[in-house]
Amino acid sequence: QVQLVEAGGGLVQPGGSLSLSCAASAFSFIIYDMGWFRQPPGQELEFQAAISWSGRITNYPDFVKGRFTISRDNAKNTVYLQMNSLNPEDTAVYYCAAGHRAIYSGNWNYWGQGTQVTVSS
């Protein structure tokens, strides 16, 4: 059974940093593009970052460029999201997702359960 398990969420003060991880199992991680999404309270799912299977291509929406960095370790079947300069608007449940060629198609096949990130003083 495919599993994506996020970790690293929690409470952080404005201006702080947080690093999320997503461990994958039971599928060929190395051939899948990986992505991070978030859902703020009462809002729709938002795309945060994506990385190609090789790690050579990354994609971010404009509002996180320069603050968030996605990376992956194919040897560990894990994708990461480093988040800096966090503000209260970044409060959300963060999800990782996997999809074959998804960085181009936007078709994400597998999803994790999510991890809560709260930015508050």
Side-chain angles (χ1 to χ4, degrees):
Q1 183 177 353
V2 171
Q3 277 197 315
L4 296 174
V5 180
E6 300 95 339
L11 175 64
V12 62
Q13 291 190 340
S17 298
L18 212 56
S19 181
L20 305 182
S21 64
C22 173
S25 62
F27 71 102
S28 298
F29 179 82
I30 196 170
I31 66 171
Y32 277 78
D33 297 342
M34 298 297 295
W36 284 96
F37 295 77
R38 73 183 184 191
Q39 188 165 26
Q43 298 184 40
E44 295 185 350
L45 202 63
E46 300 175 343
F47 168 69
Q48 298 300 294
I51 187 166
S52 64
W53 64 271
S54 66
R56 286 196 287 265
I57 300 171
T58 57
N59 189 22
Y60 304 91
D62 287 343
F63 63 88
V64 303
K65 280 182 180 177
R67 296 196 302 128
F68 292 5
T69 302
I70 189 170
S71 61
R72 67 189 292 161
D73 185 338
N74 286 344
K76 295 182 179 179
N77 284 6
T78 302
V79 63
Y80 305 94
L81 185 68
Q82 176 65 41
M83 304 186 293
N84 300 325
S85 302
L86 287 164
N87 58 64
E89 289 70 37
D90 295 316
T91 295
V93 179
Y94 283 71
Y95 299 90
C96 73
H100 189 51
R101 296 180 178 268
I103 201 168
Y104 297 111
S105 68
N107 294 325
W108 299 94
N109 305 102
Y110 306 118
W111 293 84
Q113 293 299 305
T115 185
Q116 176 70 46
V117 171
T118 302
V119 184
S120 175
S121 56

